[in-house]
Amino acid sequence: MRQPRDHGIGLAMAATAFLLATTITPAAAEGPQEPFPSAVPESVGLSSVALEQLADEVAAYVEREMVVGAELLVIKDRQTVLHEAFGWRDRETEAPMEPDTLFNIRSMTKPLTGAAAQTLVDDGLLELDDRVADHLPGFANEASGAITIEQLLTHTSGLPLSIVQSTDEYESLAALADAVGRGGPEFEPGSRFWYSDAGTDTLGAVVEQASGMSLADYVAERLLDPLGMEDSYYAGTVDAALLEHTASLYVGGVGEWTRFWGPESEPFYPFAWGSQSLYTSPRDYARFLAMWLDDGATDGREVLSPEAVARMLTPKTPMGSLGSDAPYPTRFPDLHVYHGQMAVLHVDGEPVDGRPPAGAEAEIVGYSGSDGTIAWAWPERDLMVLYFTQSRGGSTPIRLEAEIARLLLEPAIGPAAQVPHEYADVLGTYTADFGPFRREPFEILWRDAQLALDIPSQFIFPLDAVGEGRWALRGAPGAELDFARDEAGAVIGLRLHQGGSTFDVPKGKPVPEVEVALEPGAVEPYLGWYREEGSGREVEVLLQEGRLAVRIPETLEPLELFPPDEDEVWRVRMSPAVGFEFIEEDGEVVAYVARGPGGESTFRRFDPDA
């Protein structure tokens, strides 16, 4: 289902509206102005055709079951040029997604926690080089005593990704932060970037201690209310009217979405966390981004000082992926991702000795959340794009970056080129069923006057000819493909070559998988508790609704696994690139090895009651 866009005017009237927009000046109104009134794209230098194609891209995500629902908002020169909703707010009740739906934005809460801390720095109640131990007793020990406020803001504290096993584990944010401090850092503070929910929850507890208010109340008083973010709330602080407009949460992957939480359920969070727990709409979050672009001001009122905004938006360290040192991915050409003080920053320039290039400034600022929400802002272009979904485990936010770059940043809009005759027979659907791919439909497309491979769980890779009948996947070093044909010359599949291996991908659409629930006795040898070598993280392998699952600290819900493939690897449903291989000794399961793009780690089985 695709909901009508909010252009404020039909595209067919674009020319007339543009003339009116350039000749009529509206009378000044009293009081605060609507920050993002509707406008015709051409009146702010954008193409209606390009925006239509961008909306079509998101609509295709829903149609291909890459997401359950989504909302897309494009603002140029503080005017809304595209606002459209797609799919379902709640699929089970057939409630359609609508503009201004509220989403659990997960880690997009972090910039507001960071901004709250910056207001306390502005007020002289915090210093960036303060030791956290001066504010929270749990950090007053040898391991955690040297950690500073700035290290929390820059994810360089050395603290783990998370220590939370369940949402009701701690009675307050202060109790959670003290437990983080007692557990201590995994790395020497200040030595490296390591994305840390635990560190941002700690920062939220520092805000509470320094302000004398709950985090929810303080953020509301200093940020949400001044910015006019009236549709934003923390769990447990909302009335029924806002809950009615909140999207249900789904987890899974392409064609594999399971409803995990709905507005009728108990609050997902027991109290406001620094790392996550804010619910908001794309339009509300755009108000926060606009404050960044305006050096901390809104409606002529200072919310943050210009110095605080500069601190947040100055690149500090190259940004690593979640739970990994691998560079954070982006599909914006020639840009690299850095982190400031609770801001994700895209910069033109590679790191030099592990640092941003001298004098580097961010071309794009923003943040993303693990339930599928993301926001980008271009300060020099006065452009904001916000794309919110409630589909945890999808890859569409990063995919959309390539489309934004192609359609809005360096547009070359024109009539679609005809497919050359010699390529017509290779176009279509192929089914991948190897490694991380489970009956995934690969699509060979003719796009921007060249062939491309669309992998739904990853990206669209333009294909560059490298030899007779052989193509390299641009953006995937070392990966090439060619096409297999039968004796009559008809295309019957493609062959993907990478890392010295070749994988056959037959042509044709996937056949639905008939899955049989696992019997408890068949998986009993795998069930139990495991501890990671090195970090000491404890995880549980359990049977959940007929599927083997792993409960780990980084996620609040168990990660369900596909049944093992021919190599006896159990792959994560919401991220098939991650696999689990169990190790047996003398007929008993003693450990498993988890492998993914960021490397591998071994977890040894133990008895928690011993």
Side-chain angles (χ1 to χ4, degrees):
M1 173 171 290
R2 183 169 177 175
Q3 304 305 316
R5 67 176 45 84
D6 175 17
H7 278 314
I9 191 167
L11 294 180
M13 300 175 63
T16 301
F18 178 70
L19 291 174
L20 290 173
T22 57
T23 58
I24 299 176
T25 302
E30 296 181 1
Q33 300 295 302
E34 164 59 41
F36 313 121
S38 297
V40 175
E42 282 73 13
S43 70
V44 291
L46 293 180
S47 162
S48 297
V49 174
L51 288 167
E52 187 79 31
Q53 292 182 14
L54 191 67
D56 288 344
E57 175 74 12
V58 177
Y61 296 160
V62 174
E63 293 165 6
R64 299 170 66 184
E65 296 188 74
M66 298 165 72
V67 296
V68 176
E71 185 174 343
L72 177 64
L73 174 63
V74 180
I75 298 170
K76 179 70 169 75
D77 296 342
R78 309 306 164 88
Q79 299 181 82
T80 299
V81 292
L82 174 66
H83 193 187
E84 188 167 349
F86 311 80
W88 306 103
R89 186 176 76 243
D90 186 279
R91 186 181 59 188
E92 280 65 25
T93 63
E94 298 186 352
M97 188 71 74
E98 298 173 335
D100 296 318
T101 291
L102 308 183
F103 297 79
N104 182 349
I105 61 170
R106 295 278 188 168
S107 285
M108 290 176 71
T109 306
K110 289 180 172 71
L112 283 94
T113 303
Q118 298 288 353
T119 65
L120 294 166
V121 173
D122 285 344
D123 294 346
L125 298 176
L126 283 181
E127 297 287 343
L128 293 179
D129 58 2
D130 279 358
R131 297 186 315 140
V132 178
D134 295 334
H135 301 274
L136 301 176
F139 280 74
N141 57 62
E142 184 176 354
S144 300
I147 295 174
T148 68
I149 302 299
E150 185 170 11
Q151 288 168 350
L152 298 180
L153 283 161
T154 56
H155 291 289
T156 57
S157 65
L159 292 170
L161 177 56
S162 178
I163 68 166
V164 175
Q165 301 279 354
S166 64
T167 57
D168 59 356
E169 189 174 356
Y170 300 97
E171 63 181 13
S172 67
L173 188 57
L176 169 56
D178 280 344
V180 171
R182 290 192 299 270
E186 294 181 339
F187 315 107
E188 179 184 353
S191 65
R192 65 195 290 195
F193 177 93
W194 190 259
Y195 195 84
S196 176
D197 283 354
T200 318
D201 290 330
T202 297
L203 183 66
V206 170
V207 169
E208 289 191 337
Q209 192 279 334
S211 68
M213 301 171 63
S214 72
L215 180 63
D217 287 345
Y218 188 75
V219 170
E221 181 177 295
R222 295 299 297 265
L223 297 171
L224 303 183
D225 292 347
L227 292 172
M229 297 174 65
E230 297 178 352
D231 290 337
S232 302
Y233 69 90
Y234 288 94
T237 64
V238 63
D239 58 29
L242 289 182
L243 278 175
E244 289 179 1
H245 297 284
T246 299
S248 297
L249 170 61
Y250 293 82
V251 297
V254 179
E256 288 272 350
W257 298 110
T258 301
R259 190 177 189 268
F260 179 74
W261 178 89
E264 79 288 349
S265 307
E266 289 295 317
F268 196 75
Y269 306 94
F271 45 80
W273 294 2
S275 63
Q276 52 193 295
S277 73
L278 187 68
Y279 291 74
T280 191
S281 68
R283 198 194 306 260
D284 254 20
Y285 205 85
R287 295 171 185 258
F288 178 80
L289 291 181
M291 180 270 294
W292 265 354
L293 300 187
D294 290 335
D295 290 329
T298 185
D299 290 332
R301 173 183 176 183
E302 183 175 283
V303 178
L304 286 181
S305 69
E307 294 77 16
V309 174
R311 291 192 295 267
M312 297 189 77
L313 303 187
T314 297
K316 294 294 184 182
T317 57
M319 186 167 175
S321 297
L322 189 70
S324 167
D325 288 324
Y328 195 83
T330 181
R331 302 296 285 180
F332 290 119
D334 304 321
L335 297 183
H336 300 265
V337 185
Y338 294 82
H339 200 275
Q341 293 186 7
M342 287 304 166
V344 174
L345 312 169
H346 288 70
V347 174
D348 183 5
E350 296 185 9
V352 179
D353 296 327
R355 304 288 298 173
E361 294 185 359
E363 293 192 16
I364 310 172
V365 302
Y367 226 85
S368 63
S370 58
D371 282 351
T373 57
I374 193 165
W376 307 270
W378 289 258
E380 293 301 315
R381 296 174 180 263
D382 199 1
L383 171 68
M384 294 182 280
V385 180
L386 298 97
Y387 169 66
F388 283 19
T389 87
Q390 81 287 44
S391 302
R392 182 178 180 84
S395 62
T396 58
I398 299 297
R399 285 177 62 98
L400 194 63
E401 289 187 343
E403 302 309 304
I404 293 169
R406 184 174 72 92
L407 295 169
L408 301 188
L409 305 184
E410 301 294 337
I413 304 301
Q418 293 295 316
V419 180
H421 175 73
E422 63 268 28
Y423 298 145
D425 62 345
V426 304
L427 303 184
T429 303
Y430 300 71
T431 297
D433 197 9
F434 66 89
F437 305 110
R438 299 284 297 210
R439 294 174 173 80
E440 184 162 350
F442 284 16
E443 298 282 344
I444 295 292
L445 313 170
W446 182 253
R447 189 170 185 268
D448 295 337
Q450 69 177 123
L451 290 177
L453 171 63
D454 184 353
I455 301 179
S457 63
Q458 297 183 10
F459 310 112
I460 297 177
F461 298 94
L463 299 180
D464 299 317
V466 293
E468 186 64 30
R470 200 168 175 103
W471 307 82
L473 280 64
R474 191 186 308 165
E480 298 181 357
L481 65 79
D482 62 0
F483 295 97
R485 297 177 181 269
D486 63 16
E487 293 181 355
V491 175
I492 59 174
L494 65 82
R495 292 183 290 256
L496 186 63
H497 312 279
Q498 189 169 31
S501 298
T502 296
F503 305 98
D504 291 316
V505 186
K507 194 170 187 181
K509 295 183 178 181
V511 176
E513 182 177 13
V514 178
E515 186 175 338
V516 179
L518 299 173
E519 293 294 334
V523 297
E524 186 174 356
Y526 308 114
L527 307 182
W529 286 87
Y530 296 75
R531 182 179 291 121
E532 185 178 22
E533 293 181 347
S535 73
R537 288 187 308 164
E538 297 178 357
V539 305
E540 182 184 10
V541 176
L542 65 154
L543 187 65
Q544 176 171 279
E545 297 182 355
R547 293 174 174 175
L548 199 66
V550 181
R551 190 194 308 275
I552 64 177
E554 289 87 342
T555 61
L556 299 178
E557 61 277 352
L559 300 176
E560 293 186 344
L561 309 179
F562 283 115
D565 57 22
E566 64 275 9
D567 297 321
E568 294 300 317
V569 176
W570 300 72
R571 296 195 173 274
V572 178
R573 287 177 176 271
M574 66 183 293
S575 183
V578 179
F580 292 78
E581 184 175 357
F582 290 92
I583 300 172
E584 293 188 16
E585 293 180 3
D586 299 327
E588 293 187 359
V589 176
V590 297
Y592 72 77
V593 178
R595 295 187 178 91
E600 66 176 55
S601 188
T602 299
F603 291 73
R604 294 285 174 184
R605 192 167 190 165
F606 74 97
D607 183 355
D609 298 324

